[in-house]
Amino acid sequence: MKRRTAGCAAIAALGAAGVSAARAVAIGIERNPDPVPRDRLVREPQGDEALIRRPDGTVLRAVAAGDGPPVVLAHGYGVSLLEWNLLWQDLLAAGRRVIAFDQRGHERSTLGGDGAGSGPMAADYAAVLEHFDVRDGVLVGHSMGGFVAIRAMLDHPGLVRRLRGLVLAATWAGRIYQGAPQNRLQIPLLRTGVLQRWVRTPTGGVLFGAAQCGNRPSPAMISVFRDLFLRQNHAPLLPIVRAFSQEDRYPRLAEITVPTVVVVGAADRTTPPGHARRLAAGIPGARMVTVPGAGHALNWEGTEALSEAVLSFPARAAG
């Protein structure tokens, strides 16, 4: 009996020590400097709003602003078009027409009868490009946005006529667990709801947000990302989460004919550089850009690299 009591006490002590250590790490992260102030990170891109109605009842909310060659921005899992606020301003200043939309089931876009699978979401991309009559455009997909963009290019070959460039940022083409132990922990916890409860705690929220960042996590970026993530209803989005690991389009990358730039953070633990190398090797003529020190949150940590990637595609000659 004494041995059992001592063993339980030891386990409790180790657990308390782990919680204390985690809190200490979170406190250290909260002391990091913010390269961009929080009040700027919470500003949503401004422009003309449009509602795009899909056959299954989904209604996509989109925003567009500016003139010039169009750029369509597709955000990642669990957030919204808000993630593009820094890149939005850079592209407008460069003379681009910028279009972004909330993915189905995210933020202010509803989820219709076809659900949140990669097929319906890929069809949404085609609908957005058609709604805005995109010509000579560039499609930018971040994380889930890039994963779905790859399927859109394969399922909807007519998109080639609308695009002169594709930017795949911090993304993959399937089998997301490969080379990413962090995903093997976080995704099952997300599917059970445990992750969401943990993220609501002060320590869990900081550590989860920091895991999406690079070598110097910004407290402001962590805070805004955490708030966005917790605003979403994740239960109906689980089909796309399952698709991340169950689907595999690496064998079909050679079918993508649109000129492509693959951008990855050197410190990305969600979609490590190994995925980016496979994408760049599989898509004919693709080139890869690595952002030193950046993590998965390339929308904020790698804005300059993303802007340069978009602007690297020369406009097609008229006629």
Side-chain angles (χ1 to χ4, degrees), residues 141-167:
H142 172 227
S143 189
M144 176 190 74
F147 174 76
V148 177
I150 291 169
R151 177 154 189 177
M153 299 305 301
L154 298 173
D155 285 4
H156 303 274
L159 295 183
V160 172
R161 298 191 300 272
R162 295 186 177 275
L163 298 173
R164 62 186 167 103
L166 176 65
V167 177

Side-chain angles (χ1 to χ4, degrees), residues 147 173-175 178 243 245-252 278:
F147 174 76
R175 299 181 180 271
Q178 290 187 346
S245 60
Q246 294 175 356
E247 297 180 4
D248 181 6
R249 293 185 181 83
Y250 283 108
R252 297 188 60 192
R278 290 187 69 186

Side-chain angles (χ1 to χ4, degrees), residues 52-179:
I52 304 170
R53 301 182 185 280
R54 305 291 294 121
D56 72 328
T58 291
V59 180
L60 300 174
R61 176 246 185 167
V63 178
D67 296 303
V71 182
V72 178
L73 307 173
H75 68 75
Y77 177 81
V79 290
S80 75
L81 62 78
L82 174 73
E83 79 155 54
W84 297 117
N85 45 21
L86 302 187
L87 183 61
W88 188 270
Q89 294 302 320
D90 287 355
L91 295 177
L92 287 177
R96 297 298 189 268
R97 176 164 171 76
V98 193
I99 300 161
F101 64 100
D102 287 337
Q103 302 264 14
R104 62 168 52 211
H106 289 73
E107 203 70 357
R108 290 170 58 187
S109 288
T110 65
L111 185 61
D114 289 344
S118 63
M121 296 178 83
D124 291 343
Y125 286 36
V128 170
L129 269 65
E130 181 179 356
H131 177 88
F132 289 101
D133 193 22
V134 170
R135 300 173 187 272
D136 199 28
V138 176
L139 175 61
V140 182
H142 172 227
S143 189
M144 176 190 74
F147 174 76
V148 177
I150 291 169
R151 177 154 189 177
M153 299 305 301
L154 298 173
D155 285 4
H156 303 274
L159 295 183
V160 172
R161 298 191 300 272
R162 295 186 177 275
L163 298 173
R164 62 186 167 103
L166 176 65
V167 177
L168 299 174
T171 193
W172 72 104
R175 299 181 180 271
I176 196 172
Y177 291 151
Q178 290 187 346

Side-chain angles (χ1 to χ4, degrees), residues 9 31 124 143 178 193 196 219 230 262 288:
R31 292 172 178 158
D124 291 343
S143 189
Q178 290 187 346
Q196 295 89 305
L230 290 177
V262 179
M288 178 173 158

